[in-house]
Amino acid sequence: MDIPLFGDTLFVPTDVMAAWVFTILMAIPIGLFILKKKKVGLIFDYVKTTNHRKIGTLYILFGIVYFFRAGVDALFIRAQLAFPNNDFWVFQGEKYNEVFTTHGTLMIFFVAMPLLLGLMNVVVPLQIGARDLAFPFLNAVGFWLFFAGSVFFNVSFFINMTPEIGWTGYAPLSTEQFTPGAGTDFYVFGLQISGLGTIFTALNLIVTIIRHRAPGMKMTRMPLFAWATLITSLLIIIAFSVLAIALYLLMFDRQFGTGFFSGSEGDPVFWQHLFWIFGHPEVYILALPAFGVFSDIISTFSKKVIFGYPIMVISIALIGFLGFMVWAHHMFTVGLGPMANTFFAITTMAIAVPTGIKVFNWLFTIRGGVVRFTTPMLFALGFIPSFVMGGVTGVMLSVSAANFQFHDTHFVVAHFHYVIIASTIFGIFAGLYYWYPKITGFVLGEKLGRWHFWTFLIGFHLTFFPMHITGLEGVPRRVYTYTEADGIFLLNFTSTIGAFLMGISMLFLVWNVYKTHTNGKKVGNDPWDGRTLEWYVPSPAPVQTFDPMPIVKEIDPLWYTKLENRSLRTTTSTRPAPIETESFIPISMAMALFLLSLGLTFSLYWLAIVGGIGVLGLFIVRSFTDEREHVYGKEDSYE
Amino acid sequence: MKKLGLLLSLLLLTGCNIAVLEPKSETASDQAFLIVFSFWLMMIVVLTVFVLFVRFVYKYRYTDNKKDFMPKDVKGNKKLEATWIILPILLLAVLAVPTIAITYEQSPVAGDQSDHEGTHIYVTAQQFSWTFEHETGKEVQNDLVIPEGESIILHLNSKDVIHSFWVPHLGGKVDVLPGEELVYVIENPEIGTYQGKCAEYCGIQHAKMTFEANVVSIEDYERYVNED
């Protein structure tokens, strides 16, 4: 569409136009609603908060927003692939490449990550008896960096400069020579900023879990979600650092003409190594927290302690460890040679063993119990068979010679959607339904919850099951069209129907949230008959939790007090808790980094320098603030 | 889901139009064997889990007469846990043997490490077309002609970004890298015309970067490479 602008005409594709119109149309009622209900104060409260529940809520909120955006991307992809030789809207060639790039990048970095980090933020301190994360200020910095990175990435679409390099950003396609536009820079800086935030939050979670457990809450008495969070955070520290390095090198290649990933000195395969040394652990970063969620939920709704707790912990750790030894199974076809291909095939197979252990332990937790089919439990139960189906195709993919056929086809697409949706997305939904009372004080409606679950589950299988077959029929991933002669119309059409069914299922969730908040009743501390400490504190979790502090004597401490009709012993002498503070510095830091990235992207170096000075200045300001002062008084000086 | 699993196995048996499972070369046959073999091994796992899952969920579901029933806590069971550690390892060992054998035979290698005898084809990929050069120096675009029954030794190079060479019926795939030659061998192809495509996302017209692979008799191939 051509738009006249200052005597010039500006070409704007219709999908970008639609995005602008939609955003403005959404912004007006939301803005009016905020003004009418006088919620501006609430927004400011959240902007400057460092409270773990509030930051967790922000993570979840934006994770859901991006989930809808990336979901709509997926629907565009499926609409384009619904018929042979289809020309749906603008999504052929370049636009199709953009839409699968944003779908993948958003879903991994700006949907799955924040939703999981949000759940961890809300729940882990409550589960282990911590009053907040160890470094509340850093927690806020972590969130706002994620936010700045995600906004930076999303802005690209509105100015028609969307990256089109796939979420994997393979060099040399991602170097300046082949994608000279700003799109790839939006990818580089968007991920860099948000990745930094993720690293901070992971550090924070590790220290919290190591240092701020309630008295008596030994590591061996922690709920499995807390364990999964600990191991995941360790993985994040390593994996996201590698990603940061990779993006940093790519930035130098693009901005300053170095040649790490191309030319005679560099090698594009270096990028693949770095990316997958990040990328494969990332898969477990997404899956392990979900495993933790399911362990807690299955135990709660079977009324039984988890089967084989020690081996469950060991297998999480083992998966995390092996996760770093399998990255080259994404690279069987790049000619690393038979030795490497064999090694990585075997390590990949090995990872199936601890995963299998977990599946059987979940099944045997159910055995002998009393299974209540609540919505969180439905998602947990839906997870088991679906995830196993994804897991076995994973083993098939590990067979390196067979992988020459599978690699980069719809078969792989089917595989990773099976594992990621069945574990991460089901886990997130299960966790949201389960812990919703701890976030808001409401329990989401069960009936709409069941509708959401069943439509989502059926839609999910309808979408991705046929892709196994189309993959074997020879359809590579990331192609926008096929011919009638390929004979894959019906399978593709089924996938499209499934995708739209998943889209519809999300409307049930929206409706459910709306109804719950308009008609719902507030619930007490323990709506699910829970087992762990988070059900000991009020719903929603107050800012000042665990006062007095409970003393933990066993795993599932709350459950056994209920069983034996006693109350948890408490104490008032505890470790000094982290101090809540309110500050605009975190969001300002993130915005300064945003400006810095914007400056580098468009070679506006003055802007980059302003942003850089802003960040450094805020570091200095921060170094001279001590929020502990008003609690403990000025520290004595021992001169 | 069970029905879907059954459907897949039926499709595998009849092999209706599934290119990868209708191999037309020795290389692709080996790969198809691995796919089918690993599929059936994995079906053992899937079925075990599904049967236990359905049984447990059904048997232990909440009913009104279990209202006040308090299940016994089972902390674990060493023997059972050992079972599902050892059996999967055995299963994977069975899978690992043919995997290693065929991987060693088929893995693409760097150009200077290859000493294979056979018909050499020099493949050059660029956005968004394929050029095939034969030993006689004949160059053709997007149309690969190879002789049946030979060892076809592909020397792959890219002029720009990474592409991937794939003819599902003949086996594959192998990445085509800029600045480094890879060698991939297709053994013993059968006469026919097959679809070939680029399988690594390479830019705007990635979807259209296709070619045709014609396997012809040795005499026809001789004639083909020597005519202009």
Side-chain angles (χ1 to χ4, degrees):
Chain A
M1 189 183 292
D2 291 309
I3 295 175
L5 187 79
F6 307 124
D8 250 340
T9 50
L10 185 69
F11 174 75
V12 180
T14 48
D15 60 327
V16 174
M17 276 298 291
W20 275 104
V21 171
F22 177 78
T23 309
I24 293 167
L25 284 183
M26 287 298 282
I28 292 168
I30 291 174
L32 284 177
F33 177 82
I34 290 168
L35 288 177
K36 198 173 138 213
K37 295 263 175 174
K38 304 212 166 45
K39 296 284 187 189
V40 181
L42 185 74
I43 292 178
F44 273 105
D45 183 39
Y46 270 78
V47 165
K48 62 189 184 190
T49 188
T50 59
N51 174 267
H52 73 95
R53 177 176 62 79
K54 290 181 182 167
I55 289 177
T57 311
L58 286 172
Y59 266 123
I60 291 169
L61 194 67
F62 285 99
I64 295 278
V65 169
Y66 295 132
F67 190 53
F68 278 95
R69 198 229 140 154
V72 170
D73 282 350
L75 294 184
F76 289 152
I77 294 174
R78 283 314 326 169
Q80 165 62 23
L81 292 178
F83 304 100
N85 298 320
N86 198 13
D87 280 323
F88 171 72
W89 203 356
V90 290
F91 296 103
Q92 299 85 37
E94 188 173 20
K95 280 285 171 193
Y96 184 85
N97 299 344
E98 290 177 2
V99 91
F100 72 65
T101 302
T102 49
H103 168 72
T105 314
L106 279 165
M107 280 293 187
I108 299 278
F109 293 99
F110 305 129
V111 176
M113 290 306 294
L115 284 169
L116 292 173
L117 291 176
L119 284 176
M120 290 172 182
N121 243 301
V122 173
V123 176
V124 167
L126 300 178
Q127 279 195 329
I128 63 172
R131 285 180 178 148
D132 203 330
L133 288 198
F135 310 115
F137 180 89
L138 187 69
N139 195 19
V141 174
F143 169 74
W144 288 111
L145 286 180
F146 150 73
F147 180 76
S150 65
V151 171
F152 192 77
F153 183 83
N154 276 284
V155 158
S156 64
F157 185 75
F158 289 93
I159 52 177
N160 196 25
M161 291 182 178
T162 316
E164 41 175 317
I165 50 174
W167 84 278
T168 48
Y170 270 18
L173 187 64
S174 54
T175 58
E176 212 202 346
Q177 191 188 349
F178 298 104
T179 44
T184 310
D185 298 311
F186 278 104
Y187 168 90
V188 171
F189 290 110
L191 297 198
Q192 187 69 283
I193 304 176
S194 68
L196 211 56
T198 308
I199 294 177
F200 293 162
T201 305
L203 267 171
N204 215 338
L205 286 162
I206 294 174
V207 179
T208 308
I209 292 170
I210 304 273
R211 288 287 299 170
H212 289 279
R213 299 190 310 278
M217 172 66 84
K218 292 182 185 164
M219 298 285 268
T220 49
R221 290 173 186 168
M222 284 203 308
L224 281 167
F225 182 60
W227 260 113
T229 301
L230 178 64
I231 308 273
T232 305
S233 303
L234 290 168
L235 296 190
I236 288 177
I237 299 258
I238 305 173
F240 272 77
S241 305
V242 177
L243 176 71
I245 293 164
L247 290 168
Y248 200 66
L249 296 179
L250 184 60
M251 177 187 83
F252 266 86
D253 269 13
R254 292 183 60 81
Q255 304 285 334
F256 309 116
T258 55
F260 293 107
F261 302 126
S262 59
S264 54
E265 300 295 311
D267 188 337
V269 178
F270 291 163
W271 169 266
Q272 296 188 21
H273 280 294
L274 287 172
F275 189 84
W276 290 116
I277 288 174
F278 149 76
H280 203 83
E282 167 70 10
V283 175
Y284 295 103
I285 290 168
L286 298 181
L288 290 181
F291 290 173
V293 173
F294 293 130
S295 300
D296 288 1
I297 287 175
I298 289 174
S299 163
T300 301
F301 294 110
S302 306
K303 281 195 175 181
K304 276 183 71 205
V305 72
I306 194 80
F307 186 91
Y309 177 89
I311 205 157
M312 287 299 258
V313 174
I314 293 169
S315 49
I316 297 178
L318 209 59
I319 292 172
F321 176 71
L322 286 172
F324 282 106
M325 295 172 44
V326 297
W327 80 89
H329 71 213
H330 298 266
M331 302 164 61
F332 283 144
T333 60
V334 296
L336 299 178
M339 181 67 205
N341 283 0
T342 309
F343 176 82
F344 286 101
I346 302 296
T347 51
T348 307
M349 287 178 190
I351 230 170
V353 176
T355 317
I357 293 172
K358 295 192 77 72
V359 171
F360 284 106
N361 279 6
W362 286 317
L363 287 174
F364 276 73
T365 306
I366 295 170
R367 183 175 176 237
V370 178
V371 179
R372 283 182 291 157
F373 296 104
T374 57
T375 310
M377 187 61 169
L378 282 178
F379 276 105
L381 292 176
F383 149 78
I384 293 177
S386 311
F387 180 75
V388 168
M389 287 169 76
V392 296
T393 52
V395 175
M396 289 172 73
L397 282 162
S398 77
V399 178
S400 34
N403 185 285
F404 300 152
Q405 287 284 21
F406 295 136
H407 183 69
D408 269 340
T409 64
H410 273 195
F411 190 90
V412 174
V413 177
H415 160 71
F416 66 71
H417 281 91
Y418 257 86
V419 280
I420 293 183
I421 292 181
S423 65
T424 313
I425 301 297
F426 278 36
I428 286 165
F429 286 148
L432 283 179
Y433 278 95
Y434 186 53
W435 285 307
Y436 202 73
K438 284 297 145 204
I439 303 171
T440 62
F442 294 104
V443 171
L444 286 169
E446 279 291 295
K447 194 175 170 200
L448 283 170
R450 279 195 294 276
W451 272 96
H452 175 209
F453 167 73
W454 284 108
T455 46
F456 194 84
L457 181 84
I458 294 168
F460 156 61
H461 282 279
L462 272 183
T463 312
F464 295 108
F465 194 85
M467 288 196 193
H468 291 110
I469 304 165
T470 50
L472 293 178
E473 287 185 4
V475 182
R477 66 195 282 198
R478 297 171 170 176
V479 298
Y480 67 86
T481 192
Y482 54 92
T483 62
E484 237 160 286
D486 292 333
I488 49 175
F489 160 60
L490 275 180
L491 290 167
N492 268 297
F493 192 69
T494 314
S495 286
T496 303
I497 293 173
F500 278 87
L501 192 56
M502 287 166 92
I504 291 167
S505 85
M506 289 306 292
L507 300 180
F508 286 113
L509 178 64
V510 174
W511 183 237
N512 200 350
V513 170
Y514 174 76
K515 271 196 80 166
T516 305
H517 282 267
T518 47
N519 302 334
K521 272 205 296 277
K522 294 263 182 182
V523 292
N525 294 7
D526 186 13
W528 301 115
D529 200 6
R531 309 174 69 89
T532 38
L533 275 189
E534 74 267 34
W535 308 110
Y536 170 79
V537 301
S539 309
V543 172
Q544 198 64 12
T545 43
F546 299 116
D547 203 10
M549 183 63 79
I551 299 174
V552 177
K553 279 171 51 194
E554 66 239 299
I555 191 173
D556 294 349
L558 187 66
W559 178 250
Y560 293 105
T561 58
K562 286 191 282 189
L563 218 55
E564 292 155 21
N565 228 340
R566 56 185 161 90
S567 53
L568 271 173
R569 273 178 54 221
T570 55
T571 174
T572 47
S573 79
T574 54
R575 260 189 198 164
I579 289 157
E580 211 215 346
T581 158
E582 290 189 332
S583 170
F584 284 110
I585 296 179
I587 188 173
S588 316
M589 274 183 186
M591 289 310 131
L593 272 178
F594 184 95
L595 293 181
L596 186 146
S597 309
L598 204 65
L600 284 176
T601 300
F602 292 106
S603 302
L604 303 168
Y605 292 114
W606 61 268
L607 186 62
I609 291 168
V610 169
I613 292 175
V615 179
L616 284 177
L618 288 165
F619 280 174
I620 295 168
V621 173
R622 164 66 188 161
S623 306
F624 287 103
T625 5
D626 186 0
E627 66 266 6
R628 294 170 306 173
E629 226 171 67
H630 71 271
V631 182
Y632 296 122
K634 247 194 164 48
E635 271 183 281
D636 301 325
S637 56
Y638 300 96
E639 284 170 75
Chain B
M1 272 172 280
K2 261 185 174 168
K3 271 185 198 152
L4 286 171
L6 201 68
L7 194 71
L8 177 70
S9 51
L10 279 178
L11 280 167
L12 282 175
L13 287 173
T14 52
C16 73
N17 164 32
I18 297 185
V20 166
L21 300 175
E22 289 171 342
K24 300 291 183 192
S25 77
E26 215 176 292
T27 310
S29 300
D30 285 347
Q31 291 166 354
F33 159 75
L34 279 177
I35 291 171
V36 174
F37 182 67
S38 60
F39 173 77
W40 287 114
L41 271 186
M42 286 300 113
M43 280 311 279
I44 300 175
V45 179
V46 172
L47 285 179
T48 314
V49 172
F50 278 26
V51 167
L52 289 177
F53 177 79
V54 171
R55 192 182 145 74
F56 289 171
V57 171
Y58 182 77
K59 191 169 170 195
Y60 299 107
R61 73 194 186 284
Y62 174 85
T63 52
D64 282 335
N65 49 15
K66 286 187 200 162
K67 210 165 165 186
D68 299 313
F69 172 72
M70 189 49 62
K72 211 170 85 213
D73 266 342
V74 187
K75 293 242 161 71
N77 181 325
K78 292 258 157 50
K79 273 185 196 155
L80 279 174
E81 287 168 64
T83 314
W84 56 70
I85 295 173
I86 293 165
L87 285 184
I89 291 179
L90 291 178
L91 198 74
L92 290 172
V94 171
L95 181 59
V97 174
T99 301
I100 295 172
I102 297 175
T103 300
Y104 257 88
E105 202 178 292
Q106 293 195 350
S107 286
V109 293
D112 48 8
Q113 287 165 26
S114 159
D115 48 2
H116 227 85
E117 297 281 311
T119 307
H120 295 263
I121 312 273
Y122 296 85
V123 181
T124 308
Q126 68 183 101
Q127 292 173 327
F128 301 92
S129 67
W130 299 89
T131 311
F132 303 103
E133 191 191 340
H134 297 270
E135 279 171 280
T136 53
K138 177 167 178 164
E139 268 190 40
V140 187
Q141 277 221 332
N142 295 335
D143 190 14
L144 171 65
V145 177
I146 48 176
E148 69 160 330
E150 294 271 306
S151 287
I152 312 298
I153 299 148
L154 302 162
H155 300 257
L156 304 117
N157 272 297
S158 168
K159 276 194 182 160
D160 38 47
V161 300
I162 300 178
H163 303 272
S164 191
F165 175 95
W166 189 32
V167 184
H169 282 285
L170 299 183
K173 60 194 68 66
V174 57
D175 286 2
V176 188
L177 305 170
E180 191 193 345
E181 182 179 279
L182 286 186
V183 171
Y184 189 65
V185 183
I186 292 174
E187 298 280 2
N188 215 351
E190 290 170 32
I191 290 183
T193 302
Y194 313 107
Q195 285 250 314
K197 40 198 115 194
C198 174
E200 180 67 69
Y201 171 60
C202 59
I204 293 181
Q205 286 305 337
H206 164 60
K208 300 285 185 189
M209 193 171 157
T210 54
F211 61 94
E212 206 164 74
N214 287 295
V215 183
V216 295
S217 69
I218 294 178
E219 300 80 53
D220 285 350
Y221 180 72
E222 285 301 322
R223 205 173 313 128
Y224 173 79
V225 290
N226 288 314
E227 78 193 8
D228 297 321

